[in-house]
C-alpha cells in the first residue's frame, strides 16, 4: 500500500530543483504551507511577481466519494481561466509517483456568509459549455443508492448496518440535463475577495447532475467541517433562490434524502478511518433522515 505524503513544511528539495529548471521558482523561494486541504499537500510560493500555489497530489488509495485527479484539475483551470472564478494555471507535471499543479494564488478567505453569491457562482458554472473530458457523475436515486451502498460496504460498525436499512425509498429518475459540476464546492473551496468569489480544488469534476453541487454546498456535515456550523434555513433559501433554476431546485428537493443518506455513509467511513471530526457531521446528516432510532 502506498503511504500518504508526509506533512512537509516545504516541498521536497528535488521537486523544487525540478520546478527551478522549468523557470517556475528559484532555488531560494520561500514556501508557506497551506492547511485547507484534507488530502493533498499545498504550499503558497512567495514571490515578487505575485504569490503562487504548488499542490502535490497524494498517491494514496482513492477516496470513496471524492476523486483526486491532478490532470482534470489542470484541464479545468486552463479551460475556465477566462471566466475569472478559477485561479490561473501556470504548469502541471509529475514528481515520482505523484502529480503536481502550479497556479496563481487566489486572494481571499474561505467562504463564511452570503450564500446568494455562491448560488450565483454555481449557476454560472453550470451554464458554461463543457469542454472537459470528465467522467460521469451520479445521476438519479439508483446511482446514489449504489454509491452509498459501496461506501457502507467499507464501514465496520453496527451504525453502518443500521444506516444501510434506512436508505430513502422514493425513486428519482436520472436527468438528461447534465453539465460539468465541480464535485466539491464546500465552503473551504470557495474564496471570497473584493473582486468576487474564486472556486478552487478542481480535482473531482464530473459530467453530472447539477443537484450534486447544490447538495454538497448545502450539506450540514460539510458546512460544519469547513465553516463551523450548518446553514440556517434562511441561508439555504437564499442560496437556492439565487441559483435561479426552479426546475433544478425542485429536483434537488426530491433527491435531498438520497444525498443526505450517502453523505452520512461517507462521514461514517471517514470517522472509522482516522478522521474523528466527521462524527459530528454524521449526526447532522442522520438528523435529516428522521426517524432514525439508533442514535
Amino acid at each position: 500500500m502506498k503511504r500518504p505524503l508526509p506533512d512537509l513544511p516545504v516541498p521536497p528539495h528535488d521537486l523544487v530543483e525540478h520546478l527551478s529548471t522549468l523557470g517556475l521558482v528559484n532555488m531560494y523561494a520561500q514556501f508557506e504551507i497551506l492547511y485547507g486541504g484534507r488530502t493533498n499537500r499545498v504550499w503558497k510560493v512567495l514571490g515578487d511577481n505575485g504569490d503562487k500555489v504548488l499542490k502535490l497530489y497524494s498517491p494514496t488509495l482513492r477516496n470513496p466519494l471524492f476523486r483526486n485527479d491532478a490532470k482534470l484539475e489542470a484541464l479545468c483551470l486552463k479551460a475556465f481561466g477566462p471566466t475569472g472564478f478559477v485561479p490561473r494555471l501556470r504548469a502541471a507535471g509529475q514528481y515520482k509517483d505523484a502529480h503536481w499543479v502550479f497556479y496563481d494564488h487566489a486572494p481571499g478567505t474561505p467562504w463564511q456568509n452570503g450564500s446568494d453569491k455562491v448560488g450565483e457562482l454555481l449557476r454560472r458554472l453550470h451554464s458554461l459549455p463543457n469542454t472537459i473530458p470528465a467522467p460521469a457523475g451520479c445521476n438519479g436515486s439508483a446511482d446514489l443508492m449504489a454509491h452509498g451502498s459501496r461506501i457502507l460496504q467499507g464501514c465496520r460498525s453496527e451504525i453502518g448496518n443500521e444506516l444501510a436499512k434506512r436508505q430513502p425509498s422514493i425513486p428519482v429518475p436520472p436527468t438528461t440535463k447534465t453539465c460539468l459540476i465541480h464535485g466539491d464546492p464546500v465552503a473551504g473551496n470557495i474564496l471570497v475577495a473584493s473582486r468576487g468569489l474564486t472556486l478552487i480544488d478542481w480535482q473531482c469534476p464530473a459530467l453530472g447532475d447539477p443537484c450534486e453541487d447544490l447538495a454538497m454546498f448545502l450539506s450540514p456535515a460539510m458546512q460544519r467541517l469547513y465553516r463551523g456550523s450548518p446553514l440556517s434555513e434562511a441561508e439555504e433559501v437564499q442560496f437556492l433562490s439565487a441559483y435561479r433554476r426552479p426546475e433544478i431546485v425542485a429536483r434537488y428537493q426530491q433527491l435531498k434524502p438520497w444525498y443526505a443518506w450517502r453523505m452520512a455513509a461517507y462521514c461514517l467511513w471517514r470517522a472509522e478511518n482516522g478522521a474523528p471530526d466527521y462524527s459530528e457531521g454524521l449526526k447532522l446528516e442522520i438528523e435529516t433522515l428522521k426517524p432514525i432510532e439508533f442514535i
Side-chain angles (χ1 to χ4, degrees), residues 108-237:
T109 56
W111 182 87
Q112 286 285 314
N113 53 66
S115 58
D116 56 327
K117 300 300 182 184
V118 183
E120 294 168 3
L121 174 66
L122 292 182
R123 182 184 74 244
R124 186 179 174 193
L125 167 63
H126 296 162
S127 300
L128 292 175
N130 178 38
T131 59
I132 306 298
C138 285
N139 189 353
S141 59
D143 279 359
L144 290 168
M145 178 176 65
H147 195 183
S149 297
R150 288 195 300 272
I151 295 173
L152 287 175
Q153 287 172 6
C155 297
R156 303 177 298 275
S157 69
E158 181 58 28
I159 293 178
N161 296 330
E162 293 297 329
L163 193 56
K165 299 174 185 177
R166 301 287 180 164
Q167 71 178 39
S169 58
I170 300 177
V172 182
T175 179
T176 58
K177 298 179 180 180
T178 57
C179 63
L180 186 80
I181 60 175
H182 179 274
D184 190 19
V186 297
N189 289 338
I190 302 168
L191 301 180
V192 182
S194 57
R195 69 181 186 184
L197 304 185
T198 302
L199 194 51
I200 62 172
D201 283 0
W202 287 82
Q203 61 257 25
C204 56
L207 181 62
D209 189 337
C211 293
E212 182 96 10
D213 275 351
L214 304 188
M216 194 61 64
F217 177 74
L218 292 171
S219 163
M222 294 296 103
Q223 287 289 344
R224 171 69 174 78
L225 284 162
Y226 288 96
R227 190 180 74 141
S229 64
L231 296 175
S232 67
E233 183 177 350
E235 287 174 316
E236 290 191 13
V237 170

Side-chain angles (χ1 to χ4, degrees), residues 6-293:
D7 193 9
L8 301 173
V10 296
H13 183 73
D14 50 350
L15 174 57
V16 176
E17 285 186 332
H18 176 61
L19 296 177
S20 177
T21 63
L22 297 176
L24 298 174
V25 303
N26 66 60
M27 288 302 298
Y28 305 101
Q30 291 183 296
F31 296 91
E32 177 183 302
I33 194 166
L34 299 175
Y35 290 97
R38 290 173 174 262
T39 302
N40 303 306
R41 299 293 175 261
V42 187
W43 298 271
K44 181 193 288 189
V45 188
L46 307 179
D48 295 334
N49 297 320
D51 297 338
K52 304 294 186 291
V53 171
L54 172 63
K55 180 187 289 188
L56 182 61
Y57 286 73
S58 173
T60 53
L61 295 178
R62 291 182 178 180
N63 182 293
L65 184 57
F66 301 105
R67 289 185 315 280
N68 194 36
D69 193 319
K71 294 180 179 178
L72 278 177
E73 174 151 29
L75 286 173
C76 287
L77 295 187
K78 182 177 180 180
F80 299 139
T83 68
F85 63 73
V86 303
R88 180 182 177 185
L89 178 71
R90 295 292 180 171
Q94 187 166 352
Y95 166 73
K96 297 183 179 178
D97 59 349
H99 288 83
W100 54 267
V101 172
F102 191 78
Y103 53 87
D104 286 356
H105 179 261
T109 56
W111 182 87
Q112 286 285 314
N113 53 66
S115 58
D116 56 327
K117 300 300 182 184
V118 183
E120 294 168 3
L121 174 66
L122 292 182
R123 182 184 74 244
R124 186 179 174 193
L125 167 63
H126 296 162
S127 300
L128 292 175
N130 178 38
T131 59
I132 306 298
C138 285
N139 189 353
S141 59
D143 279 359
L144 290 168
M145 178 176 65
H147 195 183
S149 297
R150 288 195 300 272
I151 295 173
L152 287 175
Q153 287 172 6
C155 297
R156 303 177 298 275
S157 69
E158 181 58 28
I159 293 178
N161 296 330
E162 293 297 329
L163 193 56
K165 299 174 185 177
R166 301 287 180 164
Q167 71 178 39
S169 58
I170 300 177
V172 182
T175 179
T176 58
K177 298 179 180 180
T178 57
C179 63
L180 186 80
I181 60 175
H182 179 274
D184 190 19
V186 297
N189 289 338
I190 302 168
L191 301 180
V192 182
S194 57
R195 69 181 186 184
L197 304 185
T198 302
L199 194 51
I200 62 172
D201 283 0
W202 287 82
Q203 61 257 25
C204 56
L207 181 62
D209 189 337
C211 293
E212 182 96 10
D213 275 351
L214 304 188
M216 194 61 64
F217 177 74
L218 292 171
S219 163
M222 294 296 103
Q223 287 289 344
R224 171 69 174 78
L225 284 162
Y226 288 96
R227 190 180 74 141
S229 64
L231 296 175
S232 67
E233 183 177 350
E235 287 174 316
E236 290 191 13
V237 170
Q238 186 182 45
F239 167 76
L240 294 172
S241 296
Y243 186 70
R244 292 201 333 229
R245 296 289 187 273
E247 71 285 357
I248 296 176
V249 171
R251 176 176 170 80
Y252 160 73
Q253 297 292 358
Q254 291 180 308
L255 285 166
K256 184 176 179 179
W258 289 100
Y259 286 119
W261 178 74
R262 184 187 61 173
M263 183 58 74
Y266 176 69
C267 288
L268 176 61
W269 182 86
R270 286 302 306 266
E272 290 184 358
N273 287 273
D277 52 343
Y278 277 80
S279 296
E280 184 62 30
L282 170 63
K283 295 177 182 177
L284 290 170
E285 296 293 338
I286 285 177
E287 279 293 309
T288 69
L289 296 172
K290 291 180 177 179
I292 294 287
E293 300 166 354

